[in-house]
């Protein structure tokens, strides 16, 4: 019993150290590629997965869109993961209250969107929603583990997802502010500030 208690404590300390490194890195990045690379790499390593990527809800197009880069999956494969959010899909992904959706046999699990899984040949999959201001804004997908995924994996991924949602929201705010700084609010056209930036880049490049 004492040995088991020590093993549990060591596992908890290891998880806390991983989460601390993950959160520290999330606060550093203001570039989308760097942030998604950080998120997917650390999450995959935390649960020993071969594949990890993020799917975000794009409100203007009402679509779920995979974000590159991912871990263990090529950008051109992720580019194909884009589908409209129909009422059927919305109900299929309505597992926010469950925290994490575990699936060790995608072909027989009707809760999983087969259109999402089949192009990759995924197995042993965990999908964890992340939300902002009470609304689900995306999914973290982890797949292809050597062993079956467990509820312990799901519990750990929910913790990562909570921190990832804040980092992704902050990235969106930063990018929006960047656009406001270089575009006219009325016409949407680039302003004089953008013109000066592009001239400086062109001169440096030349």
């Amino acid at each position: 019993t004492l040995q088991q208690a020590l093993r549990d404590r060591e596992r908890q300390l290891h998880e806390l150290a991983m989460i601390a490194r993950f959160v520290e890195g999330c606060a550093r990045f203001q570039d989308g590629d760097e942030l998604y690379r950080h998120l997917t790499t650390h999450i995959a390593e935390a649960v020993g997965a071969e594949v990890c990527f993020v799917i975000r809800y794009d409100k203007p197009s009402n679509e779920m869109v995979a974000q590159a880069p991912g871990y263990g999956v090529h950008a051109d494969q992720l580019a194909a993961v884009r589908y409209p959010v129909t009422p059927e899909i919305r109900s299929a992904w309505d597992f926010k209250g469950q925290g994490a959706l575990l699936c060790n046999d995608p072909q027989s699990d009707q809760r999983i969107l087969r259109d999402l899984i089949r192009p990759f040949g995924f197995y042993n999959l965990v999908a964890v929603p992340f939300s902002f201001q009470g609304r689900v804004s995306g999914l973290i997908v982890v797949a292809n583990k050597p062993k079956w995924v467990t509820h312990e994996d799901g519990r750990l991924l929910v913790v990562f997802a909570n921190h990832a949602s804040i980092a992704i929201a902050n990235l969106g705010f930063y990018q929006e502010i960047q656009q406001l700084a270089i575009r006219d609010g009325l016409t949407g056209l680039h302003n004089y500030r953008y013109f000066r930036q592009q001239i400086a880049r062109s001169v440096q490049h030349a």
Side-chain angles (χ1 to χ4, degrees), residues 36 53-56 65-70 78:
Y36 288 122
F53 62 92
V54 175
I55 299 177
R56 286 187 65 183
V65 182
Q67 306 296 307
L78 291 178

Side-chain angles (χ1 to χ4, degrees), residues 1-9:
T1 302
L2 180 59
Q3 288 178 344
Q4 182 61 45
L6 289 172
R7 283 194 294 268
D8 290 341
R9 179 59 59 85

Side-chain angles (χ1 to χ4, degrees), residues 3 15-16 20 44 54 70 76 80 91 100 104 123 140 158 167 184 201:
Q3 288 178 344
E15 288 180 359
L16 288 173
V54 175
D76 55 347
S91 63
N104 289 304
Y123 59 91
I140 295 174
V158 168
D184 177 73
R201 291 194 184 100

